[in-house]
């Protein structure tokens, strides 16, 4: 594990190029122009050298994490931006910009280098209309196959009528198996199905009880989040939307993703006191979210609304009550503001701290119950240990993050690796498990709840002792924010499901020119075929549960 | 049982779908959603029928099987409504059924988008009559915060008829319970309001009016495939 914790005297790390000049040197004449993004240097390359460039960056410069692919249409060109970073050192970042012409927007696909590019490019094709050469399977991903036009391109007419089919899907393997007398069966799981956690449709082909092929079909909750954010103003109007991306109570974590990107874009300093409140609120959200994940996972494995689900809901109710005291809402908090939070802790403060402490005091016992009921349960163990295996290399290639990556032993957590808020001042650990299976992912979540509790406790202590006249909850922020034209930023935070990144391009107005959401669930869900093919069907359901996806965030 | 007349409950999907719509559209009073085989059997004797009807309505209101149906954010609050603390079961409506064929109430908890609407319609059509719909959240009223989205249906009533709207984003569990209780009350009293659906209906592809987009898609879609056509310009 020496690579996970880079130390300055580690030879391998020292030779990796980090500065813009070094990377430019490495890429040589592949680079045709350079740009500067707020978060990273940007290199413009020709559309037919995408694979070569990315491969070189991955193999020779250690940029092994393709975090996001942003596509957009500009006045005179289409652009795909590959946001690369590294699992070992999150603060090394580079953007690779691939412009293509308006009349022939064809660009080489990155899918052979990073498997995660597969879905990201499909999305780019779907919403913006860029064609990717050499892509394994370029078709629409979020919108129905029969959709006309690309909604985030410039001349899209939103009023044109559309026709959507109610398909009967065909068994894609029917032909292959007919000859060797094997018999495969095709089943649709979803979009309305209790095991899919919302409106996911999994096209599954079974060979006996084994999964021969699975293809997650998403887009049943594509609510145009990016379009919504692009038509709203930075200062106040965008903030309610993040709550609705990952709605399994990760509201504050999502709000932080937007707040962080927008604050860095506009150079806003957040007062320390507000940062602590943010940190505390976010960790409460993380607990609520992990509780739901654990509860529904048990639901998937045991198959009924049993005790565990009810226990998890009980504990969620508690966090929701605290969050309601803090923010005024149970789920859609809208509590962060650029530059701070909207109001201070509720009065009387003592009572609030008491509720928080009570919750924290009860938590160890509650967790013990979970461990008794879940992790210590033989049935669950035999159902989850060594099923849904996701090796770390595969996870990295798919850009998996969050508990999914950490359950595969990847020591990657943005709260520590790219610190924000108040995390670097506090005592807590990043949890990893080496099992790579469904059980590890479950365990990571349960153990992260403990860590979150630690963080909340420290925050509560700090807040309690904070001198009364220094409780500054908001920085001074101008009423309208207008970042300069062509300033671009990609910033991420560690949300409950993993790395939640936001790309914003300012265009000189008070609304973003392009707002792109990098959703952790989107990337995590991509690993499902990898984990389930060849396994039994109930294990696929368990794997899906262990990924803990929220469709609102997958589809956005 | 040979002729078509003797079997009022033909399970041909298309049939059910139009019957439902017609029933809804004519509306008014204790409408024919409350028709049942029993009622037909007892039909000759109005005296018993009234009493029996009341009894049946009371039964229906007191034992509702909800469809376990999650769409978006509102479904999280819906789960809270079902589980500890709020416990919808206390109100005789807490047995979520996973299959639409066993359910008589569908709570629509979330944003409906173009890709999902035909599926939701299908789920609704699969529920046995009489069936009731609770629209949960602003999204099912108007599209909510996403109303301006290119892909978002402007409210559940564009697709299926809704009996009770519970506003909120998301509505608190208490609000949903109140909505369900109201629905029960209405069912028990035999009331139902005339509801009009602005039909985004499932249609066979070749029944669509010929226009540019139909021509364009003609080689992709089979003539008898079911499709839903969205006229965004006419949506509110
Ligand atoms: S009404 Fe609000 S909470 Fe409910 S689904 Fe719509 S956006 Fe989500």
């Amino acid at each position: 594990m020496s690579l996970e914790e880079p130390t300055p005297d580690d030879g391998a790390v020292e030779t990796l190029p980090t500065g813009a000049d070094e990377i430019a040197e490495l890429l040589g004449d592949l680079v045709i122009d350079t740009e500067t993004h707020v978060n990273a240097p940007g290199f413009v390359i020709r559309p037919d050298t995408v694979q070569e460039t990315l491969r070189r960056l991955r193999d020779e410069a250690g940029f092994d994490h393709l975090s996001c692919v942003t596509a957009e249409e500009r006045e005179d060109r289409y652009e795909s931006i590959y946001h690369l970073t590294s699992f070992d050192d999150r603060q090394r970042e580079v953007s690779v910009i691939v412009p293509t012409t308006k009349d022939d927007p064809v660009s080489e696909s990155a899918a052979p280098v990073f498997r995660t590019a597969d879905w990201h490019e499909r999305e780019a094709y779907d919403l913006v209309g860029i064609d990717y050469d050499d892509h394994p399977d370029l078709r629409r991903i979020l919108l129905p196959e029969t959709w006309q036009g690309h909604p985030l391109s410039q001349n899209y007419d939103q009023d044109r009528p559309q026709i959507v089919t109610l398909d009967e899907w065909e068994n894609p393997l029917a032909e292959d198996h007919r000859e060797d007398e094997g018999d495969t069966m095709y089943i649709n799981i979803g979009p309305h199905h209790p095991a899919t956690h919302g409106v996911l449709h999994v096209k599954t082909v079974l060979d006996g009880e084994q999964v021969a092929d699975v293809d997650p079909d998403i887009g049943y909750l594509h609510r145009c989040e990016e379009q919504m954010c692009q038509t709203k103003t930075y200062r106040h109007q965008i903030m309610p939307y993040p709550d609705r991306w990952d709605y399994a109570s990760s509201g504050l974590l999502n709000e932080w993703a937007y707040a962080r990107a927008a604050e860095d874009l506009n150079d806003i300093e957040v007062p320390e006191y507000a940062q602590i409140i943010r940190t505390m609120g976010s960790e409460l959200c993380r607990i609520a979210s992990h509780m739901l994940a654990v509860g529904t996972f048990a639901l998937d494995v045991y198959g009924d609304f049993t005790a565990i689900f009810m226990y998890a809901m009980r504990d969620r109710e508690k966090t929701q009550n605290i969050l309601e005291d803090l923010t005024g809402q149970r789920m859609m908090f809208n509590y962060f503001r650029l530059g701070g939070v909207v109001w201070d802790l509720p009065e009387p403060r003592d009572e609030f701290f008491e509720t928080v402490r009570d919750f924290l005091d009860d938590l160890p016992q509650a967790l013990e119950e979970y461990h008794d009921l879940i992790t210590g349960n033989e049935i669950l163990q035999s159902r989850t240990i060594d099923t849904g295996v996701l090796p770390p290399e595969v996870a990295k290639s798919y850009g998996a993050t969050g508990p999914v990556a950490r359950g595969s032993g990847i020591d990657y957590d943005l709260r520590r690796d790219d610190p924000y808020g108040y995390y670097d001042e506090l005592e807590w650990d990043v949890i990893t498990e080496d099992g790579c299976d469904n059980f590890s992912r479950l365990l990571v979540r349960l153990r992260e709840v403990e860590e979150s509790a630690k963080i909340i406790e420290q925050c509560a202590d700090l807040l309690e002792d904070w001198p009364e006249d220094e409780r500054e909850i908001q920085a001074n922020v101008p009423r309208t924010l207008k970042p300069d034209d062509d300033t671009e930023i990609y910033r991420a935070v560690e949300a409950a499901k993993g790395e939640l990144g936001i790309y914003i391009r300012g265009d000189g107005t008070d609304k973003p020119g392009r707002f792109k959401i990098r959703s952790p669930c989107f990337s995590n869900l991509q690993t499902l075929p990898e984990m389930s093919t060849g396994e039994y069907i109930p294990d696929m359901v368990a794997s899906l549960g262990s990924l803990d996806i929220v469709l609102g965030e997958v589809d956005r | 049982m040979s002729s078509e007349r003797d079997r009022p409950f033909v399970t041909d999907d298309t049939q059910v779908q139009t019957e439902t719509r017609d029933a809804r559209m004519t509306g008014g009073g204790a409408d024919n959603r409350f028709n049942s085989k029993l009622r037909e059997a007892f039909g000759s004797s109005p005296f018993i029928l009234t009493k029996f009807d009341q009894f049946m309505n009371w039964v229906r209101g007191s034992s509702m099987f909800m469809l376990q149906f999650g769409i978006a954010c509102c479904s999280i609050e819906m789960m809270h409504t079902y589980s500890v603390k709020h416990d919808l079961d206390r109100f005789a409506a807490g047995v979520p059924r996973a299959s639409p064929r066993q359910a008589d109430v569908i709570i629509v908890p979330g944003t409906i988008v173009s890709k999902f609407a035909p599926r939701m319609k299908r789920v609704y059509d699969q529920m046995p009559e009489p069936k009731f719909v609770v629209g949960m959240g602003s999204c099912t009223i108007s599209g909510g915060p996403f109303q301006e989205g290119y892909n978002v249906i402007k409210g559940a009533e564009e697709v299926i008829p809704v009996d009770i709207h519970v506003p909120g984003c998301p509505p608190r569990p208490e609000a949903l319970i109140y909505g369900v209780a109201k629905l029960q009350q209405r069912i028990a009293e035999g009331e139902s309001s005339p509801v009009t659906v602005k039909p985004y209906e499932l249609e066979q592809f070749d029944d669509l009016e010929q226009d540019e987009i139909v021509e364009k898609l003609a080689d992709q879609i089979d003539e008898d495939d079911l499709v839903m056509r969205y006229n965004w310009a006419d949506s509110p």
Side-chain angles (χ1 to χ4, degrees):
Chain A
M1 294 296 252
S2 66
L3 272 180
E4 308 290 340
E5 292 278 352
T7 43
D9 55 355
D10 192 331
V13 174
E14 234 176 352
T15 53
L16 289 178
T18 20
D21 302 338
E22 289 167 290
I23 298 169
E25 198 177 304
L26 173 76
L27 293 179
D29 49 8
L30 287 170
V31 178
I32 50 174
D33 198 1
T34 56
E35 281 183 23
T36 318
H37 292 180
V38 180
N39 63 308
F43 298 98
V44 184
I45 60 165
R46 284 206 323 274
D48 56 351
T49 56
V50 177
Q51 289 178 11
E52 197 183 338
T53 314
L54 295 190
R55 197 167 279 130
R56 211 179 278 178
L57 283 170
R58 184 191 65 186
D59 297 341
E60 291 168 37
F63 287 104
D64 55 353
H65 179 27
L66 175 59
S67 179
C68 182
V69 182
T70 305
E72 57 186 318
E73 186 179 1
R74 306 288 293 264
E75 289 311 315
D76 56 342
R77 62 184 188 276
Y78 284 94
E79 235 177 52
S80 324
I81 308 175
Y82 295 85
H83 303 279
L84 293 167
T85 172
S86 128
F87 277 105
D88 292 336
D89 180 1
R90 179 60 176 77
Q91 283 173 327
R92 297 174 60 223
E93 289 179 71
V94 60
S95 312
V96 176
I97 301 141
V98 192
T100 49
T101 54
K102 275 262 178 174
D103 31 311
D104 185 26
V106 183
S107 164
E108 195 180 35
S109 164
V113 189
F114 290 101
R115 286 197 244 175
T116 181
D118 181 348
W119 277 24
H120 281 282
E121 285 172 350
R122 273 175 71 188
E123 185 190 322
Y125 162 73
D126 191 356
L127 301 184
V128 183
I130 301 178
D131 260 314
Y132 291 92
D133 217 8
D134 200 18
H135 188 283
D137 181 20
L138 195 65
R139 59 197 157 93
R140 288 189 183 271
I141 183 164
L142 294 175
L143 291 168
E145 292 275 349
T146 50
W147 201 262
Q148 302 294 308
H150 303 278
L152 294 184
S153 61
Q154 275 170 355
N155 299 323
Y156 180 70
D157 170 16
Q158 202 174 324
D159 282 342
R160 74 199 287 184
Q162 301 282 354
I163 292 177
V164 175
T165 56
L166 182 77
D167 298 311
E168 311 269 333
W169 284 281
E170 263 184 55
N171 181 348
L173 299 189
E175 304 254 316
D176 308 5
H177 284 249
R178 207 164 288 152
E179 274 155 41
D180 50 8
E181 305 216 334
D183 211 4
T184 57
M185 182 173 83
Y186 177 74
I187 45 171
N188 284 309
I189 307 181
H192 159 66
H193 191 278
T196 53
H197 297 227
V199 282
L200 168 71
H201 171 214
V202 190
K203 304 176 183 175
T204 325
V205 182
L206 298 184
D207 184 359
E209 263 210 79
Q210 278 170 324
V211 177
D213 185 51
V214 9
D215 178 15
D217 174 25
I218 62 176
Y220 292 95
L221 195 50
H222 174 54
R223 303 192 276 193
C224 330
E225 303 268 15
E226 290 173 7
Q227 182 206 21
M228 291 294 106
C229 292
Q230 276 162 219
T231 51
K232 305 278 184 278
T233 56
Y234 290 104
R235 186 72 171 86
H236 291 296
Q237 293 180 347
I238 294 179
M239 198 54 94
Y241 285 92
D243 288 321
R244 290 161 179 83
W245 300 341
D246 171 2
Y247 46 72
S249 288
S250 320
L252 294 181
L253 295 154
N254 303 349
E255 285 176 22
W256 209 338
Y258 168 62
R260 185 172 191 213
E263 279 158 8
D264 285 358
L265 185 67
N266 294 292
D267 269 329
I268 300 170
E269 268 306 317
V270 183
E272 216 165 295
Y273 182 70
Q275 292 284 30
I276 304 176
I277 301 184
R278 282 183 172 189
T279 311
M280 183 179 74
S282 299
E283 292 309 309
L284 280 165
C285 284
R286 192 181 311 272
I287 292 184
S289 174
H290 282 354
M291 287 291 174
L292 187 71
V294 169
T296 47
F297 181 69
L299 185 70
D300 286 342
V301 174
Y302 296 131
D304 212 341
F305 286 99
T306 45
I308 304 156
F309 179 77
M310 292 299 175
Y311 281 19
M313 290 314 249
R314 177 199 64 193
D315 289 322
R316 268 175 61 85
E317 280 288 348
K318 291 187 193 162
T319 54
Q320 282 192 315
N321 285 342
I322 301 177
L323 284 164
E324 190 183 352
D325 287 347
L326 180 67
T327 66
Q329 240 281 26
R330 279 167 59 89
M331 272 175 69
M332 302 302 170
F333 311 109
N334 191 15
Y335 179 60
F336 285 13
R337 291 291 177 272
L338 299 188
V341 295
V342 61
W343 45 60
D344 200 351
L345 304 182
E347 295 291 344
R349 291 166 72 94
D350 303 344
E351 232 170 77
F352 177 72
F353 287 121
E354 207 180 297
T355 344
V356 175
R357 294 241 151 76
D358 279 351
F359 168 68
L360 294 177
D361 288 344
D362 291 347
L363 202 59
Q365 202 201 338
L367 281 170
E368 212 160 287
E369 276 170 2
Y370 289 117
H371 281 295
D372 278 351
L373 281 166
I374 314 178
T375 48
N377 183 327
E378 260 177 62
I379 302 177
L380 187 123
Q381 285 178 0
S382 60
R383 281 287 311 276
T384 54
I385 292 180
D386 278 338
T387 60
V389 177
L390 183 70
E393 286 320 309
V394 180
K396 283 185 179 176
S397 166
Y398 277 109
T401 48
V404 176
R406 291 195 286 273
S408 291
I410 301 171
D411 190 15
Y412 180 73
D413 189 322
L414 268 83
R415 289 174 289 173
R416 180 201 61 201
D417 298 339
D418 185 17
Y420 58 95
Y422 212 68
Y423 288 112
D424 47 351
E425 313 274 332
L426 304 172
E427 287 288 314
W428 59 282
D429 295 313
V430 175
I431 303 293
T432 53
E433 287 285 334
D434 294 331
C436 308
D437 51 10
N438 293 337
F439 190 69
S440 306
R441 290 187 278 274
L442 176 71
L443 216 53
V444 166
R445 290 202 180 92
L446 279 173
R447 289 179 56 200
E448 276 185 14
V449 170
E450 288 170 39
E451 297 301 320
S452 297
K454 273 195 220 164
I455 298 178
I456 297 171
E457 194 162 16
Q458 296 170 49
C459 291
D461 289 344
L462 284 166
L463 290 171
E464 209 163 16
D465 301 336
W466 209 265
E468 198 168 341
D469 45 352
E470 286 171 30
R471 291 181 195 154
E472 198 192 340
I473 53 163
Q474 265 191 45
N476 247 338
V477 183
R479 193 166 289 179
T480 33
L481 292 170
K482 289 190 181 169
D484 296 338
D485 197 5
D486 255 344
T487 39
E488 299 175 46
I489 188 166
Y490 175 73
R491 272 274 181 270
V493 299
E494 183 74 27
K497 317 303 197 251
E499 175 174 342
L500 175 61
I502 307 290
Y503 165 86
I504 301 178
R505 175 170 61 79
D507 60 357
T509 66
D510 57 355
K511 295 172 186 165
R514 176 83 171 97
F515 192 100
K516 160 89 188 158
I517 306 157
R518 186 265 184 210
S519 129
C521 294
F522 183 78
S523 301
N524 289 353
L525 179 59
Q526 251 185 302
T527 61
L528 182 67
E530 198 69 42
M531 297 197 302
S532 317
T533 314
E535 303 243 350
Y536 289 113
I537 176 118
D539 294 341
M540 186 196 86
V541 172
S543 302
L544 188 59
S546 79
L547 284 176
D548 183 25
I549 49 162
V550 167
L551 270 299
E553 198 180 58
V554 174
D555 296 346
R556 285 150 293 144
Chain B
M1 283 290 167
S2 54
S3 78
E4 195 68 21
R5 266 187 75 83
D6 290 335
R7 297 185 293 121
F9 286 88
V10 209
T11 44
D12 173 6
D13 275 351
T14 49
Q15 229 14 55
V16 170
Q17 166 198 325
T18 34
E19 273 172 11
T20 317
R21 188 185 57 212
D22 293 347
R24 298 279 173 159
M25 281 187 154
T26 46
D31 65 25
N32 25 11
R33 269 192 292 171
F34 292 90
N35 269 342
S36 67
K37 284 193 169 163
L38 279 170
R39 184 168 173 167
E40 262 155 44
F42 285 102
S44 53
S45 159
F47 179 69
I48 298 178
L49 181 69
T50 339
K51 291 298 176 204
F52 192 73
D53 246 15
Q54 279 177 10
F55 174 70
M56 281 309 287
N57 287 339
W58 173 79
V59 168
R60 279 191 186 116
S62 315
S63 159
M64 303 209 298
F65 280 22
M66 319 299 263
L67 179 66
Q68 188 183 341
F69 187 60
I71 306 180
C73 350
C74 278
S75 47
I76 305 287
E77 283 298 61
M78 189 181 73
M79 282 158 72
H80 276 273
T81 316
Y82 283 132
S83 45
V84 279
K85 183 167 173 195
H86 298 100
D87 193 9
L88 192 58
D89 211 3
R90 292 177 296 162
F91 302 92
V95 195
R97 314 302 301 182
S99 159
R101 292 174 208 277
Q102 299 168 344
D104 40 37
V105 181
I106 172 174
I107 299 181
V108 184
T111 326
I112 304 148
V113 302
S114 66
K115 200 169 172 183
F116 191 61
R119 272 89 191 163
M120 186 176 79
K121 180 89 189 165
R122 173 50 65 87
V123 169
Y124 175 78
D125 288 343
Q126 284 173 342
M127 287 166 58
E129 307 253 331
K131 49 191 164 187
F132 306 93
V133 181
V134 178
M136 183 181 183
S138 326
C139 283
T140 57
I141 297 174
S142 63
F146 305 100
Q147 197 191 21
E148 289 146 32
Y150 49 82
N151 191 28
V152 174
I153 310 292
K154 321 302 182 233
E157 284 212 316
E158 305 271 312
V159 185
I160 59 175
V162 179
D163 291 84
I164 298 266
H165 283 290
V166 185
C169 184
R172 300 177 61 91
E174 292 90 331
L176 181 61
I177 292 180
Y178 182 71
V180 172
K182 274 281 164 208
L183 177 67
Q184 287 175 321
Q185 191 188 344
R186 277 174 57 174
I187 298 174
E189 286 169 6
E191 284 175 33
S192 71
S193 50
V195 222
T196 14
V197 194
K198 278 167 268 136
Y200 278 166
E201 279 287 355
L202 287 172
E203 286 170 279
Q204 289 202 343
F205 185 64
D206 65 347
D207 287 346
L208 292 179
E209 240 173 78
Q210 286 292 325
D211 66 358
E212 204 186 320
I213 167 164
V214 174
E215 270 166 35
K216 206 161 175 188
L217 289 169
D219 49 341
Q220 278 183 47
I221 304 180
D222 261 4
E223 281 179 4
D224 47 1
D225 268 359
L226 288 175
V227 297
M228 199 176 259
R229 182 196 160 101
Y230 298 104
N231 298 315
W232 299 116
D234 303 343
S235 289

